[in-house]
């Protein structure tokens, strides 16, 4: 009997968990066979070489465990504490000092503020201190073949990774990254690397693992390609009178309500925002009550890096704390 692809993958993960083993070889499932077929047919890989490569790839139970408890599941007051620390703020100031020339050149060329780039790298990897302990190919194979809820996404990223290492002349078993397969100082997924990574120092390599200049330019390029507006504000804290403002709270992160409409609902929107400007009203849970913010277009651009409004606010607040510390 031919087994359903999702079912076979679930059974693979279940069997792995049941053995108490931390890893297992990639099983010859329908999903795996189809992936190999597609890589040969569409990307012109050699089937024998691919199959030989995957003999060295491991399905990792810790990666499956990590996927079940993302930080974005925490309320804001707990999530914020992860990133708004003395070490991360001081580390951001030091990263700025260490890379001042590259940051200045990139900001001038791309129009993305140095502090935003620094905060992204700070939130993602603590300025390169934690770039990931898993082989990228293991992470992507594990989530592609043994995590059905996101298998389609991760199999596409696995495809992009194999094309990437071929293009960049890298050993596919060498690159390290996060449990989700994100790589380097800025934690780019393979598709983002292929689309946005830059060789800023022009040494012939797009090295986001150990070359800070390349990583800085790559983050800036990512934002520019997602329509960052140079000189534009990111977000403003606001307050509200009464409860009418709750009508404007909605899912998603894209600006969807006019500043004038928010004023009509009792929100004290900054006077510099025109009534016609579209913004996003955001509520952040505190231990008691909530903080209200309006996110502008550039706030939305930050969420293109990670779609969580918690993430984008952590990046913004860390960026501001770094500026204050640097200039004080």
């Amino acid at each position: 009997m031919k087994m359903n692809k999702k079912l076979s993958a679930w059974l693979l993960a279940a069997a792995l968990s049941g053995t108490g083993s931390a890893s297992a070889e990639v099983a010859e499932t329908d999903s795996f066979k189809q992936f190999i077929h597609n890589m040969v047919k569409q990307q012109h890989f050699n089937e024998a070489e691919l199959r030989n490569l995957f003999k060295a790839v491991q399905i990792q139970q810790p990666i499956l465990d990590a996927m079940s408890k993302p930080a974005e599941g925490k309320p804001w007051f707990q999530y914020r504490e992860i990133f708004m620390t003395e070490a991360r703020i001081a580390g951001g100031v030091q990263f700025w000092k260490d890379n001042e020339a590259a940051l200045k050149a990139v900001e001038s060329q791309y129009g993305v503020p140095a502090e935003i780039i620094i905060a992204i790298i700070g939130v993602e990897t603590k300025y390169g201190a934690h770039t990931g302990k898993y082989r990228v190919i293991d992470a992507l194979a594990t989530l592609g073949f043994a995590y059905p809820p996101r298998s389609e996404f991760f199999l596409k990223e696995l495809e992009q990774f194999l094309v990437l290492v071929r293009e960049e002349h890298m050993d596919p078993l060498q690159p390290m990254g996060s449990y989700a397969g994100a790589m380097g100082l800025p934690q780019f997924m393979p598709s983002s690397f292929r689309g946005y990574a830059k060789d800023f120092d022009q040494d012939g390599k797009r090295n986001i693992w150990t070359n800070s200049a390349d990583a800085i330019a790559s983050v800036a390029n990512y934002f520019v390609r997602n329509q960052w507006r140079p000189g534009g504000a990111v977000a403003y804290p606001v307050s509200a009178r009464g409860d009418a403002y709750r009508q404007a709270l909605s899912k998603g992160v894209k600006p969807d309500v006019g500043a004038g409409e928010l004023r009509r609902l009792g929100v004290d929107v900054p006077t510099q925002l025109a009534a016609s400007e579209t913004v996003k009203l955001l509520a952040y849970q505190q231990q008691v009550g909530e903080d209200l913010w309006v996110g502008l277009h550039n706030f939305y651009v930050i969420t293109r890096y990670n779609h969580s409004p918690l993430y984008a606010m952590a990046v913004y607040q860390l960026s501001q704390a770094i500026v204050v510390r640097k200039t004080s």
Side-chain angles (χ1 to χ4, degrees), residues 32 70 157 233 260:
F32 177 71
E157 291 296 334

Side-chain angles (χ1 to χ4, degrees), residues 115-300:
E115 63 268 22
I116 293 291
I117 299 170
I118 294 166
I120 286 283
I121 295 173
V123 167
E124 290 291 343
T125 62
K126 208 171 182 182
Y127 316 107
H130 305 296
T131 55
K133 61 182 180 180
Y134 297 101
R135 293 191 307 186
V136 173
I137 197 168
D138 288 347
L140 297 175
T142 296
L143 298 171
F145 298 123
Y147 188 68
R150 300 289 305 282
S151 62
E152 182 178 356
F153 170 80
F154 285 106
L155 287 179
K156 286 180 180 175
E157 291 296 334
L158 179 58
E159 174 185 355
Q160 292 290 305
F161 175 73
L162 292 172
V163 174
L164 180 165
V165 294
R166 181 173 66 183
E167 290 173 342
E168 302 287 326
H169 308 291
M170 300 166 71
D171 178 349
L173 297 176
Q174 289 302 309
M176 304 294 288
S178 73
Y179 68 83
M183 307 176 297
L185 275 75
Q187 293 288 276
F188 273 11
M189 294 300 288
S191 60
S192 293
F193 183 104
R194 292 191 68 217
Y196 308 113
K198 303 296 288 185
D199 173 19
F200 193 70
D201 63 359
Q202 299 183 319
D203 65 353
K205 297 178 181 178
R206 297 188 289 176
N207 177 4
I208 63 171
W209 285 269
T210 58
N211 187 316
S212 295
D214 284 1
I216 288 164
S218 297
V219 172
N221 188 47
Y222 189 101
F223 280 129
V224 169
R225 295 280 294 279
N226 280 280
Q227 285 80 54
W228 179 269
R229 293 176 183 167
V234 173
Y236 293 105
V238 296
S239 58
R241 302 177 302 280
D243 292 326
Y245 72 92
R246 294 197 170 277
Q247 300 172 37
L249 292 173
S250 59
K251 291 183 179 179
V253 287
K254 194 168 188 177
D256 58 4
V257 61
E261 174 64 11
L262 287 184
R263 290 187 181 108
R264 190 185 69 79
L265 294 173
V267 180
D268 295 320
V269 177
T271 56
Q272 59 264 47
L273 293 181
S276 59
E277 181 157 359
T278 306
V279 299
K280 181 71 182 180
L281 183 63
L282 301 155
Y284 289 91
Q285 182 184 345
Q286 295 288 13
Q287 284 182 293
V288 178
E290 61 188 8
D291 289 345
L292 292 179
W293 287 75
V294 288
L296 281 63
H297 171 82
N298 281 346
F299 183 89
Y300 176 70

